[in-house]
Amino acid sequence: MKTSKIALFNLIFFLTITAVGCSSNAGKLPNATTYSSTTTSVEDYQYLIGPGDSVSIFVWRNPDISGSFVVRPDGMVTTSLVEDIKVSGKTPTMLARHIEVELAKYINNPRVTVSVGGFRGPLYEQVRVIGEAINPSAVNYTEKMTLLDLMISVGGLTEFASGNNAKLVRMVEGVQKTYQLKIDELIKEGSIEENIDMLPGDIIIIPEAWF
């Protein structure tokens, strides 16, 4: 009888652990999808169109199908001839060539020029600052942006920030890598050698100091 009770207890314990494990796994959400920027160096930056941008499409000798369009949240625009053209993630030149291919189904030898306004760009191209910044936010990347430029944009550090323990998260060849930053030395001590070039998609994490 004692052996049976022990066996029953072990079975109940096993089922409980299994159920907890299954419940834990079922509650685990997948990690956020990561995207690599086409810009891997400050010397080869090209602006990519994103949702919210205003796109002006000029088709030579075809004013009726030319016009200005706002990029929808799904990264598409609709023109008078072609519905649902994917524009997000393309440079203006890339988009112009893509539209020419699409319009060639309807008109002979189309020649297209694209210009952009608004300049919001895709979310994954923005530089994000979280944690102990005065105004933590996502900042639109601009050519040759540095860490100092970024800190000016977010108002600097709070009084509780541990700037020398800040981290930079960057996509490198499709893999997220983390680097140490010394923002206190850059801002408070003027150590300009701690200034670095930023790239589209960078994430700056500034922790709170332990006093």
Side-chain angles (χ1 to χ4, degrees):
M1 180 65 71
K2 184 176 181 180
T3 301
S4 298
K5 288 183 177 180
I6 293 174
L8 179 61
F9 174 80
N10 288 338
L11 177 60
I12 293 173
F13 178 77
F14 173 76
L15 292 175
T16 301
I17 293 298
T18 302
V20 170
C22 291
S23 176
S24 176
N25 291 333
K28 173 65 175 175
L29 294 171
N31 293 335
T33 305
T34 55
Y35 300 91
S36 295
S37 175
T38 56
T39 300
T40 57
S41 165
V42 293
E43 301 301 329
D44 65 2
Y45 173 60
Q46 290 184 303
Y47 179 79
L48 301 183
I49 300 167
D53 284 350
S54 174
V55 179
S56 294
I57 300 173
F58 174 74
V59 185
W60 187 58
R61 290 185 175 176
N62 287 273
D64 292 344
I65 58 175
S66 300
S68 295
F69 311 88
V70 176
V71 183
R72 304 192 313 243
D74 61 357
M76 305 262 192
V77 297
T78 297
T79 68
S80 56
L81 278 182
V82 184
E83 294 183 350
D84 295 339
I85 300 176
K86 182 68 174 178
V87 302
S88 183
K90 293 181 171 65
T91 66
T93 301
M94 290 168 57
L95 177 58
R97 302 293 81 78
H98 175 68
I99 294 174
E100 286 174 349
V101 172
E102 294 296 323
L103 290 180
K105 301 172 185 177
Y106 309 97
I107 60 178
N108 185 41
N109 193 28
R111 298 172 66 178
V112 177
T113 302
V114 172
S115 59
V116 182
F119 301 109
R120 299 181 63 178
L123 290 177
Y124 62 84
E125 289 279 293
Q126 295 177 352
V127 181
R128 285 160 281 189
V129 182
I130 61 174
E132 295 300 316
I134 298 294
N135 296 301
S137 57
V139 178
N140 290 337
Y141 182 84
T142 56
E143 184 182 25
K144 297 182 180 178
M145 174 185 283
T146 68
L147 176 60
L148 184 59
D149 298 324
L150 182 61
M151 295 313 300
I152 292 172
S153 296
V154 298
L157 302 173
T158 71
E159 60 179 312
F160 305 108
S162 179
N164 282 349
N165 289 314
K167 298 288 192 295
L168 165 65
V169 181
R170 173 177 289 173
M171 290 290 291
V172 180
E173 297 181 351
V175 178
Q176 278 190 329
K177 294 191 176 182
T178 303
Y179 303 89
Q180 183 79 32
L181 297 178
K182 295 185 177 180
I183 301 178
D184 279 335
E185 292 189 16
L186 171 63
I187 294 179
K188 298 179 181 179
E189 299 178 24
S191 299
I192 202 65
E193 63 271 15
E194 299 300 334
N195 195 21
I196 63 167
D197 291 320
M198 305 304 299
L199 289 176
D202 281 350
I203 302 172
I204 304 293
I205 303 171
I206 306 171
E208 184 177 355
W210 292 91
F211 296 99

